Amino acid sequence: MKAIILNGFGGPEVMGIGELPIPEPGSGQVRVRVMATSVNRADTVQRKGNYPPPPGESDVLGLEVAGVVDALGDGVTDWQPGDRVMGLVAGGGYAEYALAYAGHLMAIPETITFEEAAAIPEVYITAFLNLFLIGGLGEGETVLLHGGGGGVNTAGIQLCRALLDRCRIIVTASSGKVDRVRELGADRVIDYRQQDFAGEVRRFTESAGADVILDHIGAAYLAQNQAALAIGGRLVVIGLMGGASGTLNLGLMMVKRQRIIGSVLRALPVAQKADITATFVQQVLPHIQSRRIAPLIHAVRPLAEAGRAHAEMEASGHFGKLVLQVAAQ
């Protein structure tokens, strides 16, 4: 099968099309003929050698797939060859065939394409897990999302609007994306290059602060995130683009009863990811089927242009997902 192979670790130029054996599904696994996959920030980190796959998983890049069931491993009864599916993989998405655990797959609604389906599993499940299941975001609360043009945060805005009747959404974004983020449903958009986001959050909330913050920056935002958190607020850290080590104000954390929570979806146990996927199917997939939630796609590139897509992601000029078309449709 054709797959993206890394010629060492480094920039997008280390990526190229090569040939690999077609993988065989193990117990509880499904082999998917991949029609489309998409690029996630974690893929760029792995390409640089800083985010290896969990033990036993494919070292091919790619954390989500959309395609057709091709073969079943022992014990799989929920799927049949030919089923249209999308789902999480711990690696292997940038290839013509990929293995997924049966419980990590979802039926693709007839209302969406393979390219749209490829833009759903990683970012929408990440946003759903961290905002609602871990962050506990509820009615009447205020959420702060960092990096409004990225896939997780555009998904987060849509999820908050679909799942909650009353929720105030604050988003940080670069100046070129402010209007688009506002149009997507944000109540307040902060240009992080021009404004102090912690001060702006306090002004917007009349000093109350944000109940939940979803952050992929890490250390560089830690102090401001603490300052922006409400009493009893929850900071969920899902990335480290701004560093892994920062100074935590324990006194402020105690006085304001703040919770600082780290979260990584990829490394969760198989059974736990299956439970999360099942909850997502129940609570979110109907909104996707009705297209109340519609994945935002910045561009669709052929698999051979994966390097170009990585360069686009690292330049941060995209709004929504960068999708890779693997098979002609």
Side-chain angles (χ1 to χ4, degrees):
M1 67 176 184
K2 290 183 172 60
I4 292 294
I5 295 176
L6 299 183
N7 180 27
F9 296 119
E13 68 279 358
V14 304
M15 305 168 67
I17 286 281
E19 296 281 338
L20 290 175
I22 295 175
E24 293 297 327
S27 179
Q29 291 184 318
V30 172
R31 186 169 68 208
V32 178
R33 179 172 178 258
V34 181
M35 307 301 287
T37 183
S38 66
V39 178
N40 291 283
R41 186 72 62 174
D43 301 338
T44 69
V45 180
Q46 182 177 336
R47 189 201 70 225
K48 296 174 184 175
N50 298 322
Y51 190 33
E57 299 291 350
S58 172
D59 59 5
V60 174
L61 301 179
L63 299 178
E64 57 194 332
V65 295
V68 177
V69 172
D70 179 70
L72 307 176
D74 291 341
V76 176
T77 58
D78 295 338
W79 304 106
Q80 296 298 321
D83 288 345
R84 288 182 4 127
V85 293
M86 59 184 178
L88 298 168
V89 293
Y94 291 20
E96 291 183 310
Y97 293 89
L99 300 182
Y101 285 97
H104 300 173
L105 293 174
M106 302 171 279
I108 298 177
E110 65 280 0
T111 53
I112 66 173
T113 66
F114 283 115
E115 288 83 6
E116 289 175 313
I120 290 171
E122 179 69 17
V123 294
Y124 282 89
I125 291 179
T126 293
F128 175 69
L129 167 66
N130 291 292
L131 288 174
F132 295 94
L133 304 186
I134 292 177
L137 183 65
E139 292 288 356
E141 291 195 313
T142 298
V143 61
L144 171 61
L145 305 171
H146 286 302
V152 171
N153 292 297
T154 55
I157 295 170
Q158 292 179 312
L159 288 168
C160 290
R161 286 287 171 246
L163 300 183
L164 297 174
D165 295 323
R166 294 178 298 107
C167 175
R168 294 192 296 181
I169 304 170
I170 307 172
V171 181
T172 62
S174 60
S175 55
K177 300 178 181 178
V178 167
D179 290 341
R180 295 189 68 181
V181 172
R182 188 179 292 114
E183 291 168 2
L184 193 58
D187 296 295
R188 176 74 170 90
V189 186
I190 301 167
D191 184 344
Y192 66 85
R193 293 176 178 169
Q194 305 292 331
Q195 298 170 294
D196 166 30
F197 75 77
E200 293 299 318
V201 168
R202 290 196 299 270
R203 273 188 283 275
F204 181 75
T205 60
E206 299 179 342
S207 299
D211 299 289
V212 176
I213 299 176
L214 185 61
D215 175 55
H216 64 280
I217 302 299
Y221 275 13
L222 181 57
Q224 283 182 287
N225 278 333
Q226 278 200 272
L229 269 182
I231 293 173
R234 292 83 73 193
L235 167 61
V236 186
V237 181
I238 61 170
L240 301 171
M241 290 179 61
S245 298
T247 300
L248 179 66
N249 187 332
L250 293 174
L252 182 61
M253 185 178 72
M254 293 169 65
V255 169
K256 295 182 72 174
R257 302 187 298 282
Q258 297 173 339
R259 282 176 273 169
I260 317 294
I261 307 163
S263 176
V264 178
L265 176 60
R266 186 183 195 181
L268 291 178
V270 171
Q272 188 173 354
K273 277 201 277 191
D275 289 342
I276 294 165
T277 301
T279 304
F280 181 87
V281 167
Q282 180 184 33
Q283 297 187 22
V284 180
L285 201 59
H287 296 291
I288 294 173
Q289 181 163 0
S290 69
R291 298 195 69 86
R292 183 179 183 187
I293 293 176
L296 296 177
I297 296 177
H298 177 78
V300 178
R301 310 283 184 216
L303 182 63
E305 294 184 13
R308 175 185 176 187
H310 273 227
E312 288 178 295
M313 170 160 282
E314 291 179 308
S316 296
H318 62 295
F319 192 88
K321 292 282 282 184
L322 291 157
V323 173
L324 300 175
Q325 188 180 67
V326 179
Q329 299 171 37

